């Protein structure tokens, strides 16, 4: 696809899905190939601010939503279970695509967003052109207990299964999130203004509940929302992924250890490659946006040529 001569200015928009009023940042040509950009935790839709413009200039249309529990995205009903399951977040992504009238699209996800991308590739491959996953690898089945070095890095997830962890996230969530930013990447990687802007997304009234449920249900320490039972069964049954996949790993990621994403290519029957960015931590979109943009453009352009 030839590059466009311009990139539209980003705008914040809202759209209703069956469960949510989804807020999202959008930009790029209205008729460009659609790409959904999914952020992680503790982060928000602005994590793509220095990546999305390169996609717009290349002709892609992007939508970067705030996930449930983040920023201005809101539940439509107080009765909806505040589930943080990846299945729930993946279902939200499909609902958003449907609301946007996107029949097929690509997904680029970081952290939680990467898990959503893999989940969608397992349960709805017909809807996806390509996926790119940053900072998280994939293997089939339910999540296994991680190796001890990785389990140590996941201390915050174990902490959140305790009542004291719940008290911390509910009453001092911003400081808890800042500690992850400080410890997951090399020192000095972010500016204070960037953290403060992102932390505003954690003021969503459901952020703590979504955070707690997400990490508790991940390790079978909370009950899942039965709304997503069948979807999760399909995901656990998937042995391989056929959707073309790019995995981007920070070589100095201190949350998800690089060794844990060295998965066998046998898990992917479609094209798969893994790229490691030296000296980059857990937030490649923020730490190395130019390198991430180059990798994504090359990856997406290959898909366009194939189409």
């Amino acid at each position: 696809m030839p590059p466009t001569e311009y990139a539209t200015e980003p705008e914040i928009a809202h759209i209703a899905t069956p469960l949510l009023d989804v807020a999202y940042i959008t930009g790029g040509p209205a008729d460009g190939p659609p790409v959904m950009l999914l952020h992680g935790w503790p982060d928000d839709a602005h994590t793509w601010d220095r990546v999305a413009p390169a996609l717009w200039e290349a002709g892609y249309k992007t939508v970067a939503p705030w996930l449930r529990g983040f920023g201005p995205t809101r539940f439509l009903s107080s009765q909806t279970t505040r589930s943080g399951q990846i299945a729930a977040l993946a279902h939200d992504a499909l609902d958003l695509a449907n609301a946007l009238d996107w029949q097929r699209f690509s997904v680029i996800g970081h952290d939680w967003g990467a898990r959503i991308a893999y989940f969608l590739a397992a349960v709805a491959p017909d809807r996806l052109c390509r996926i790119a996953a940053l900072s998280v690898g994939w293997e089939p089945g339910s999540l296994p207990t991680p190796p001890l070095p990785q389990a140590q890095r996941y201390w915050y997830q174990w902490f959140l299964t305790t009542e004291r962890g719940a008290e911390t996230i509910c009453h001092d969530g911003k400081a808890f999130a800042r500690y992850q930013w400080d410890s997951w990447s090399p020192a000095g990687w972010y500016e204070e203004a960037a953290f403060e802007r992102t932390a505003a997304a954690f003021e969503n009234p459901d952020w703590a509940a979504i955070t707690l449920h997400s990490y508790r249900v991940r390790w079978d320490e909370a009950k899942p929302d039965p709304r997503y039972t069948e979807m999760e069964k399909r995901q656990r049954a998937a042995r391989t992924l056929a959707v073309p996949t790019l995995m981007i790993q920070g070589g100095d990621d201190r949350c998800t250890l690089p060794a844990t994403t060295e998965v066998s290519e046998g898990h992917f029957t479609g094209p798969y490659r893994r790229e490691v960015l030296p000296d980059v931590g857990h937030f490649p979109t923020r730490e190395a946006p130019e390198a991430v943009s180059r990798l994504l453009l090359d990856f997406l352009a290959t898909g366009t040529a194939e189409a």
Side-chain angles (χ1 to χ4, degrees):
M1 178 177 56
T4 61
E5 296 181 356
Y6 65 93
T8 61
E9 291 296 322
E11 62 174 316
I12 296 178
H14 288 253
I15 197 166
T17 67
L19 297 181
L20 300 169
D21 172 42
V22 179
Y24 59 93
I25 303 171
T26 185
D31 59 351
V35 181
M36 190 176 295
L37 306 175
L38 302 175
H39 69 80
W41 185 97
D43 210 335
D44 85 327
H46 288 293
T47 197
W48 306 105
D49 281 359
R50 294 168 63 197
V51 172
L55 301 182
W56 305 336
E57 290 171 5
Y60 296 95
K61 174 70 173 179
T62 69
V63 162
W66 280 270
L67 302 181
R68 58 167 59 192
F70 291 77
T73 291
R74 292 290 188 274
F75 286 92
L76 299 179
S77 171
S78 61
Q79 302 305 307
T80 304
T81 300
R82 270 39 177 178
S83 172
Q85 292 162 252
I86 297 301
L89 302 173
H91 200 285
D92 291 344
L94 288 176
D95 284 345
L96 175 58
N98 292 340
L100 294 166
D101 198 26
W102 287 4
Q103 299 307 308
R104 297 190 75 239
F105 55 101
S106 295
V107 176
I108 302 170
H110 171 247
D111 190 80
W112 283 18
R115 295 186 186 277
I116 297 167
Y118 291 131
F119 196 107
L120 291 173
V123 303
D126 58 311
R127 298 293 302 274
L128 303 182
C129 300
R130 324 207 111 209
I131 66 168
L134 286 72
S135 307
V136 175
W138 185 81
E139 56 186 303
S142 301
L143 283 175
T145 301
L148 292 178
Q150 182 60 65
Q152 182 182 37
R153 302 304 176 105
Y154 279 172
W155 71 269
Y156 66 101
Q157 300 188 23
W158 319 129
F159 181 58
L160 291 175
T161 66
T162 70
E163 289 308 306
R164 295 196 183 200
E167 182 178 356
T168 298
I169 201 71
C170 289
H171 298 291
D172 206 8
K174 181 178 176 180
F176 188 73
R178 183 191 291 277
Y179 190 81
Q180 315 317 317
W181 278 44
D182 287 340
S183 58
W184 286 359
S185 297
W189 71 270
Y190 69 90
E191 296 181 356
E192 179 64 19
F195 176 78
E196 289 294 335
R197 185 182 194 186
T198 304
F202 312 152
E203 297 173 7
N204 183 299
D206 295 307
W207 182 75
I210 295 295
T211 297
L212 285 170
H213 188 259
S214 186
Y215 288 118
R216 289 178 169 188
V217 77
R218 180 178 299 184
W219 304 111
D220 301 321
E221 298 294 338
K223 291 182 179 180
D225 186 341
R227 182 193 302 263
Y228 307 106
T229 298
E230 291 303 315
M231 198 175 185
E232 288 196 321
K233 284 182 180 178
R234 299 204 310 274
Q235 185 272 330
R236 286 194 296 269
R239 299 293 93 189
T240 58
L241 299 182
V243 177
T245 301
L246 169 67
M247 194 274 149
I248 300 175
Q249 173 69 59
D252 197 7
D253 190 329
R254 303 174 188 186
C255 175
T256 304
L257 297 176
T260 67
T261 66
E262 294 174 348
V263 298
S264 168
E265 292 190 15
H267 295 332
F268 298 85
T269 57
Y272 172 82
R273 83 175 194 260
R274 175 177 177 266
E275 297 284 349
V276 179
L277 301 179
D279 305 317
V280 172
H282 189 70
F283 299 88
T285 55
R286 294 180 180 274
E287 298 174 63
E290 295 84 4
V292 169
S293 297
R294 286 194 298 271
L295 289 171
L296 292 176
L297 288 173
D298 177 66
F299 177 64
L300 292 171
T302 300
T304 302
E306 291 171 352

